[in-house]
Amino acid sequence: MTEASVVICADTLDRWDDLNAAIASVRRQTCPAREIILVVDNDEALLERARRGIEGVVVTPNTNVRGLCGGRTTGAGLASAPVMAFLDDDAIADERRLDELLMPYADPRVLGVGGRLEPLWRKPRPSWFLYAENRLPGKPNPARGSLAFQKPRPSHRLSKSLGQTLAAQVGRIPRCVF
């Protein structure tokens, strides 16, 4: 079966307990991750605390553009497994999340998949929140919080054409791809 590296990006010490719950949920997977990579964006206190207090996790600063996109790109560059799965720092993965995200990769044409997110409300769901879509009005699809991509290989036609298209549009392949 295909293996995955799990990348978690965090940018605040204020969600320390949530971050640890996210990491614990990855460790409880029925299909273990090859590695867990924690990318810390722009918070030195969080970076130092994570390095001291979280064992068995690759902890690194974001070395790319600031924000989630740059953090995911940093994590993707460190991932050693053929698939990179992303989990938000305030999310708890169901124990079968990796199994379900990796299942479609039995088909070699699959380059990426998304998963379902179900909010764990600490208070009642706000009436203005779009119930069926689990998202805020006017905001993008929340599936970006549950993603997995194959690491690009030269044999992927989509990888080649996407890279060429981006290079033609901006003169170079951008540093931020997620």
Side-chain angles (χ1 to χ4, degrees):
M1 177 175 222
T2 303
E3 286 185 292
S5 298
V6 176
V7 177
I8 300 172
C9 300
D11 65 356
T12 179
L13 194 53
D14 294 342
R15 290 193 299 267
W16 178 256
D17 292 338
D18 291 336
L19 173 61
N20 279 284
I23 291 168
S25 75
V26 174
R27 289 180 171 150
R28 288 191 302 269
Q29 294 296 296
T30 56
C31 173
R34 178 182 289 181
E35 64 203 343
I36 302 170
I37 301 167
L38 172 61
V39 180
V40 177
D41 186 41
N42 201 42
D43 188 325
E44 287 298 318
L46 173 59
L47 179 64
E48 291 308 312
R49 185 168 180 187
R51 283 180 169 159
R52 285 190 323 268
I54 303 175
E55 294 183 16
V57 172
V58 176
V59 178
T60 185
N62 179 5
T63 58
N64 213 293
V65 294
R66 185 176 176 180
L68 181 60
C69 185
R72 286 182 172 175
T73 301
T74 295
L78 295 173
S80 66
V83 173
M84 305 161 294
F86 300 94
L87 182 67
D88 287 351
D89 65 338
D90 60 352
I92 297 172
D94 178 88
E95 66 184 18
R96 293 197 29 83
R97 177 179 182 261
L98 278 181
D99 281 324
E100 293 168 0
L101 285 176
L102 292 175
M103 205 175 311
Y105 290 105
D107 181 340
R109 297 171 297 173
V110 172
L111 299 178
V113 299
R116 178 177 165 81
L117 293 177
E118 184 64 36
L120 296 173
W121 295 98
R122 291 185 175 143
K123 296 180 180 178
R125 178 192 300 260
S127 60
W128 46 263
F129 196 85
L130 298 175
Y131 180 78
E133 300 173 27
N134 281 330
R135 68 178 180 91
L136 298 171
K139 296 294 181 185
N141 186 325
R144 70 183 197 162
S146 182
L147 301 170
F149 293 101
Q150 267 196 44
K151 290 196 87 159
R153 297 187 315 258
S155 62
H156 283 157
R157 286 185 302 183
L158 179 61
S159 296
K160 285 182 180 179
S161 63
L162 178 61
Q164 290 166 353
T165 301
L166 291 171
Q169 289 177 352
V170 297
R172 65 181 176 83
I173 295 176
R175 295 173 63 197
C176 186
V177 294
F178 302 104

